[in-house]
C-alpha cells in the first residue's frame, strides 16, 4: 500500500446504525457494513471511517461510550468487527474508527466508581467534579452551557443521600467530561489506542479534538450569539457571499475556555509517537471546530495529527468568491505545516449539503431543520447545487471526505415526526432545536425491498421518507445521469488524473466575465464551476465530467464541469 496514503485519500464516513441492518432489528450493524463493502469498492473510495460502535447506552447514538474496547451488541461482536476489517483490507479499503476522548458514558465503570467514591478521591479525579457555588453549594461551579443546550453541570446525590458535588458535561448529562490533567486518563487512552491498532485499524478520527483540556480555574464564559455549537463560526445560508475565516479568535487559548486550549497539543504529540511505532501509516484525523484556518493547522503539525476536518470549507456557501477565498486559505494554512488540506461537505452532525447549500435562511450549526424552519429549498435545486459542489470539491488537491448517502443525492429529512426524533438536542432544548436526526436517516439500497433494502425486517430506528424509493442505490446504478454514477465517475477520474496529489492554479476563461464563475487547473484538468443563476459560454475541449446536463454551448447555472486541458 502506498506510503502516506492519507494525503490524497477519499474517505467515506459510515454511520453504522444507519448504513445497513443485517439482522433485521431496525438498527444498522457491522455485518451490514461487511455485506456492502463491495458497493463501496465499486464506488471507488480509499478508506472508511466508522462512527462509534462501542458498548454504549446510546443516549447520544454511541458517542457516549461505556466500554472503549468492545462492540455494543446492537452492532455485533468483536468477531464481527474483525471480519469486517479483514474484508475491507482484502478489497483495498482502509478502516478508521472513531475515538471519543473528551467524555465517556455515565455508565462507564470509571464514572460509576466516581459516584460511589467520596469527594477528593482518586476515582473522582478522573472526571471534572467540583463543589458548587453559593452558601449551600446549590449553584453550578460556573456558567458554562452544554453544546446540546442547558447547563453543562449536573449535581449528584452523595452516598449519604445529601446533594453533593457537580460534574462537568459539555454535551449531554450522560456524557461526563474526563479530566485530562490526570495521568491515569492519559494512560488509559494509550491502552485503548493500542487495543485497536493491534487489531489492525488504520487510524482514528478523534471526536471533539479541540476539547479535553479546560482553562485553569474553569472561568465563567458566555459564548457569542452567532457562534457555532462546537466552537466554530456558525452556519451560513447557501446564497450568502461571506466566509468566516478571520473571527476574533486569533490565537491559541483565546475564546471559549473549554475549546482549543494549548494543552491538547501535548496529548496529540504523545499519540502520534505511539502510532508511529506501527507500520503502514496509521493516522489521526481531528474534529477540531476552531477558527481561523491557521489555528486549525496547529493540529496537523508534523509531530501531531495527520489530518483535520476543514469546517471552514464545509460552512462556505455556494459562491465563487467565498469558495476561492477558503480554498486559498486552506491550501496556505495546511501547506505551511506540511499537511494536506482536507475537504468535506457533509457528515453526521450537519445538515446534508443537498439541502444546506440551497437554503435561503441561515443554518445555525447543530440546530437542525424541521417543519418550522424557514428558507427550505426544493429538492431539485438542492441536489443540483450539491452535485456541482461535490464535483468542485473532488477536483481539489488533498484528501476528501464523503458522508454515507451523499453519493445518492440524499437530502436532509425535514419532516420527521416529532415523536420519532432521538437527538439529545431535541430534548435538552425542549424541542426548540431539531438536532441532527435529519441527516442520520437509514440508507436506501433497493427501491422495491422492505425498508428500501436497509433491513429485511424490523422498523428502522428513524423512519425513511418515500423519496428514498427513487434515490435507492439499485435505482441509480447504471443510470448515467444519476448522482451515484456522477460520484463513481468523479472518483475514477480523480484517481486517473492524480488530482489529490496535484497543484491548483486559478485561471480566467476567455470571454467569461461573470464573477459567479470559478475556474482552476489541476493535473491536466480544467475545472469550471458556475455558482450563479445565468448560463455562460462553455469552454472548448473534451468534457470529462459534468455535474448537470449541458445545454448546447453553454455551462448552466449551478453546474461544474471537468475538461481535458
Amino acid at each position: 500500500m502506498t506510503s502516506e496514503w492519507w494525503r490524497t485519500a477519499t474517505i467515506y464516513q459510515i454511520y453504522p446504525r444507519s448504513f445497513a441492518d443485517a439482522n433485521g432489528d431496525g438498527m444498522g450493524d457491522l455485518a451490514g457494513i461487511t455485506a456492502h463493502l463491495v458497493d463501496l469498492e465499486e464506488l471507488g473510495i480509499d478508506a472508511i471511517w466508522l462512527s462509534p460502535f462501542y458498548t454504549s447506552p446510546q443516549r447520544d447514538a454511541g458517542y457516549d461510550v461505556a466500554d472503549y474496547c468492545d462492540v455494543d451488541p446492537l452492532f455485533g461482536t468483536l468477531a464481527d468487527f474483525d471480519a469486517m476489517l479483514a474484508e475491507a483490507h482484502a478489497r483495498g479499503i482502509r478502516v478508521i474508527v472513531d475515538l471519543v476522548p473528551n467524555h465517556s458514558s455515565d455508565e462507564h465503570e470509571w464514572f460509576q466508581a466516581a459516584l460511589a467514591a467520596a469527594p477528593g478521591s482518586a476515582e473522582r479525579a478522573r472526571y471534572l467534579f467540583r463543589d458548587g457555588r453559593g452558601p449551600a453549594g446549590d449553584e453550578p461551579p460556573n456558567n458554562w452551557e452544554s453544546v446540546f443546550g442547558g447547563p453543562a453541570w449536573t449535581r449528584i446525590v452523595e452516598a449519604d443521600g445529601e446533594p453533593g458535588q457537580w460534574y462537568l458535561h459539555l454535551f449531554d448529562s450522560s456524557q461526563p467530561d474526563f479530566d485530562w490533567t490526570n495521568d491515569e486518563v492519559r494512560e488509559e487512552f494509550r491502552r485503548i489506542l493500542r487495543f485497536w491498532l493491534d487489531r489492525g485499524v488504520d487510524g482514528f478520527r478523534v471526536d471533539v479534538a479541540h476539547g479535553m483540556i479546560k482553562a485553569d480555574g474553569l472561568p465563567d464564559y458566555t459564548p457569542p450569539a452567532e457562534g457555532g455549537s462546537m466552537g466554530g463560526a456558525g452556519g451560513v445560508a447557501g446564497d450568502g457571499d461571506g466566509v468566516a475565516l478571520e473571527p476574533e479568535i486569533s490565537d491559541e487559548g483565546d475564546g471559549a475556555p473549554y475549546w482549543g486550549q494549548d494543552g491538547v497539543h501535548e496529548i496529540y504529540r504523545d499519540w502520534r509517537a505511539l502510532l508511529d511505532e506501527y507500520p503502514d501509516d496509521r493516522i489521526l484525523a481531528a474534529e477540531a471546530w476552531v477558527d481561523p484556518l491557521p489555528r486549525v493547522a496547529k493540529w496537523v503539525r508534523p509531530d501531531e495529527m495527520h489530518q483535520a476536518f476543514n469546517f471552514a470549507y464545509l460552512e462556505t456557501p455556494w459562491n465563487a468568491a467565498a469558495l476561492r477565498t477558503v480554498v486559498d486559505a486552506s491550501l496556505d494554512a495546511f501547506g505551511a505545516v506540511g499537511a494536506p488540506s482536507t475537504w468535506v461537505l457533509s457528515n453526521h452532525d450537519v445538515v446534508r449539503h443537498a439541502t444546506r447549500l440551497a437554503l435561503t435562511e441561515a443554518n445555525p450549526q447543530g440546530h437542525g431543520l424541521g417543519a418550522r424552519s424557514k428558507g427550505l429549498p426544493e429538492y431539485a435545486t438542492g441536489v443540483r447545487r450539491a452535485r456541482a459542489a461535490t464535483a468542485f470539491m473532488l477536483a481539489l488537491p488533498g484528501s476528501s471526505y464523503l458522508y454515507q448517502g451523499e453519493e445518492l443525492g440524499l437530502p436532509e429529512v425535514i419532516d420527521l415526526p416529532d415523536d420519532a426524533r432521538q437527538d439529545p438536542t431535541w430534548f435538552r432544548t425542549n424541542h426548540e432545536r431539531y438536532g441532527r436526526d435529519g441527516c442520520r436517516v437509514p440508507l436506501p439500497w433497493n427501491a422495491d425491498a422492505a425498508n428500501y433494502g436497509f433491513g429485511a425486517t424490523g422498523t428502522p430506528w428513524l423512519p425513511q421518507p418515500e423519496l428514498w424509493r427513487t434515490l435507492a442505490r439499485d435505482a441509480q446504478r447504471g443510470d448515467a445521469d444519476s448522482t451515484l454514477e456522477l460520484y463513481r465517475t468523479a472518483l475514477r477520474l480523480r484517481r486517473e488524473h492524480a488530482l489529490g496529489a496535484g497543484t491548483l492554479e486559478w485561471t480566467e476563461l476567455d470571454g467569461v466575465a461573470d464573477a459567479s464563475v470559478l475556474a482552476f487547473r489541476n493535473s491536466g484538468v480544467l475545472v469550471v464551476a458556475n455558482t450563479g443563476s445565468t448560463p455562460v459560454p462553455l469552454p472548448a475541449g473534451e468534457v470529462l465530467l459534468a455535474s448537470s446536463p449541458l445545454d448546447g454551448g453553454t455551462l448552466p447555472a449551478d453546474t461544474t464541469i471537468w475538461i481535458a486541458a
Side-chain angles (χ1 to χ4, degrees):
M1 293 184 175
T2 306
S3 177
E4 296 195 326
W5 59 274
W6 43 274
R7 290 187 173 273
T8 61
T10 301
I11 301 171
Y12 182 98
Q13 180 189 358
I14 291 177
Y15 193 68
R17 58 173 43 221
S18 298
F19 188 72
D21 172 17
N23 66 4
D25 65 355
M27 186 72 65
D29 44 44
L30 293 174
I33 295 171
T34 304
H36 286 288
L37 287 171
V38 61
D39 296 288
L40 300 185
E41 180 184 20
E42 179 185 80
L43 182 62
I45 50 93
D46 300 299
I48 55 176
W49 148 37
L50 274 65
S51 290
F53 50 84
Y54 312 113
T55 306
S56 166
Q58 303 294 319
R59 289 283 298 275
D60 185 24
Y63 282 91
D64 49 327
V65 181
D67 185 343
Y68 289 85
C69 295
D70 204 355
V71 173
D72 193 286
L74 277 175
F75 304 119
T77 64
L78 277 172
D80 291 329
F81 177 84
D82 292 339
M84 182 276 300
L85 182 67
E87 180 67 14
H89 283 171
R91 295 183 179 277
I93 297 172
R94 297 178 187 263
V95 178
I96 298 167
V97 298
D98 229 311
L99 188 67
V100 188
N102 181 73
H103 50 265
S104 74
S105 165
D106 60 359
E107 295 188 14
H108 192 287
E109 63 178 1
W110 273 14
F111 192 73
Q112 289 300 306
L115 293 177
S121 63
E123 290 84 357
R124 289 205 180 173
R126 297 163 173 163
Y127 294 90
L128 287 160
F129 280 87
R130 295 292 186 271
D131 294 331
R133 297 194 287 197
D138 55 0
E139 297 178 14
N142 65 28
N143 71 341
W144 293 0
E145 291 290 311
S146 163
V147 169
F148 291 159
W153 295 91
T154 292
R155 195 176 194 186
I156 69 167
V157 176
E158 301 289 359
D160 61 5
E162 294 297 318
Q165 288 189 303
W166 300 70
Y167 67 89
L168 178 69
H169 51 88
L170 290 180
F171 295 86
D172 190 62
S173 59
S174 65
Q175 296 166 289
D177 281 41
F178 286 114
D179 185 346
W180 273 87
T181 66
N182 186 321
D183 288 339
E184 191 177 4
V185 172
R186 298 189 180 217
E187 184 55 39
E188 173 64 3
F189 274 87
R190 294 186 192 105
R191 182 187 73 85
I192 293 164
L193 289 169
R194 291 189 184 280
F195 178 88
W196 293 106
L197 290 167
D198 290 344
R199 297 194 93 84
V201 303
D202 298 287
F204 303 89
R205 175 266 190 187
V206 181
D207 185 62
V208 195
H210 58 311
M212 298 146 76
I213 298 295
K214 280 69 175 178
D216 291 344
L218 309 183
D220 281 353
Y221 174 74
T222 301
E226 69 276 10
S229 67
M230 288 277 280
V236 292
D239 288 326
D241 59 3
V243 55
L245 298 178
E246 298 291 342
E248 292 182 2
I249 298 173
S250 60
D251 200 3
E252 205 71 52
D254 291 345
Y258 40 81
W259 298 142
Q261 301 299 302
D262 188 60
V264 298
H265 299 292
E266 177 187 344
I267 297 169
Y268 299 134
R269 282 189 287 270
D270 179 61
W271 289 8
R272 176 63 177 263
L274 190 156
L275 262 68
D276 285 347
E277 297 174 10
Y278 288 80
D280 302 323
D281 287 324
R282 317 294 179 95
I283 74 163
L284 295 167
E287 182 205 27
W289 288 88
V290 294
D291 296 306
L293 279 163
R295 189 178 177 202
V296 184
K298 293 184 177 183
W299 270 253
V300 289
R301 289 174 289 194
D303 63 343
E304 295 192 38
M305 307 181 95
H306 300 76
Q307 294 184 338
F309 292 131
N310 191 339
F311 292 119
Y313 184 80
L314 183 149
E315 293 191 319
T316 299
W318 179 238
N319 172 276
L323 284 168
R324 179 162 181 165
T325 298
V326 75
V327 168
D328 282 342
S330 300
L331 295 174
D332 288 348
F334 292 112
V337 295
S341 183
T342 61
W343 313 104
V344 60
L345 289 169
S346 284
N347 66 33
H348 67 293
D349 281 334
V350 304
V351 172
R352 284 186 176 274
H353 70 283
T355 299
R356 188 184 71 251
L357 290 177
L359 292 172
T360 57
E361 297 283 343
N363 170 47
Q365 161 56 20
H367 286 215
L369 299 176
R372 300 187 307 272
S373 301
K374 298 179 180 179
L376 299 175
E378 295 292 330
Y379 173 71
T381 302
V383 74
R384 179 183 182 92
R385 192 167 286 183
R387 287 165 55 106
T390 295
F392 181 87
M393 181 186 82
L394 289 177
L396 295 170
S399 176
S400 294
Y401 279 79
L402 308 178
Y403 177 49
Q404 66 177 42
E406 69 172 80
E407 77 276 19
L408 305 178
L410 300 190
E412 189 81 355
V413 179
I414 307 299
D415 56 353
L416 284 171
D418 287 353
D419 60 3
R421 294 188 179 275
Q422 300 191 30
D423 193 323
T425 300
W426 172 249
F427 300 102
R428 288 185 61 85
T429 63
N430 294 317
H431 303 176
E432 178 185 342
R433 301 178 187 175
Y434 289 103
R436 302 157 295 174
D437 292 323
C439 66
R440 300 175 173 185
V441 173
L443 299 187
W445 295 93
N446 305 105
D448 297 323
N451 306 318
Y452 306 117
F454 170 69
T457 58
T459 301
W461 71 280
L462 284 174
Q464 300 163 293
E466 293 184 8
L467 178 63
W468 265 209
R469 182 182 305 279
T470 62
L471 300 181
R473 185 172 296 261
D474 69 334
Q476 296 195 41
R477 184 179 284 113
D479 179 354
D481 294 328
S482 71
T483 302
L484 175 62
E485 295 301 332
L486 173 70
Y487 270 72
R488 289 184 60 197
T489 300
L491 290 171
R492 174 179 58 79
L493 291 171
R494 177 181 167 85
R495 287 193 306 274
E496 291 177 358
H497 292 270
L499 298 180
T503 301
L504 181 145
E505 178 186 355
W506 298 111
T507 188
E508 301 296 329
L509 299 178
D510 292 339
V512 178
D514 193 326
S516 297
V517 176
L518 198 58
F520 66 85
R521 298 180 188 276
N522 180 11
S523 300
V525 176
L526 172 65
V527 179
V528 184
N530 182 1
T531 69
S533 57
T534 305
V536 298
L538 190 67
E542 177 192 359
V543 176
L544 303 173
L545 179 82
S547 66
S548 295
L550 301 181
D551 184 12
T554 63
L555 176 63
D558 292 332
T559 301
T560 299
I561 56 169
W562 297 4
I563 294 177

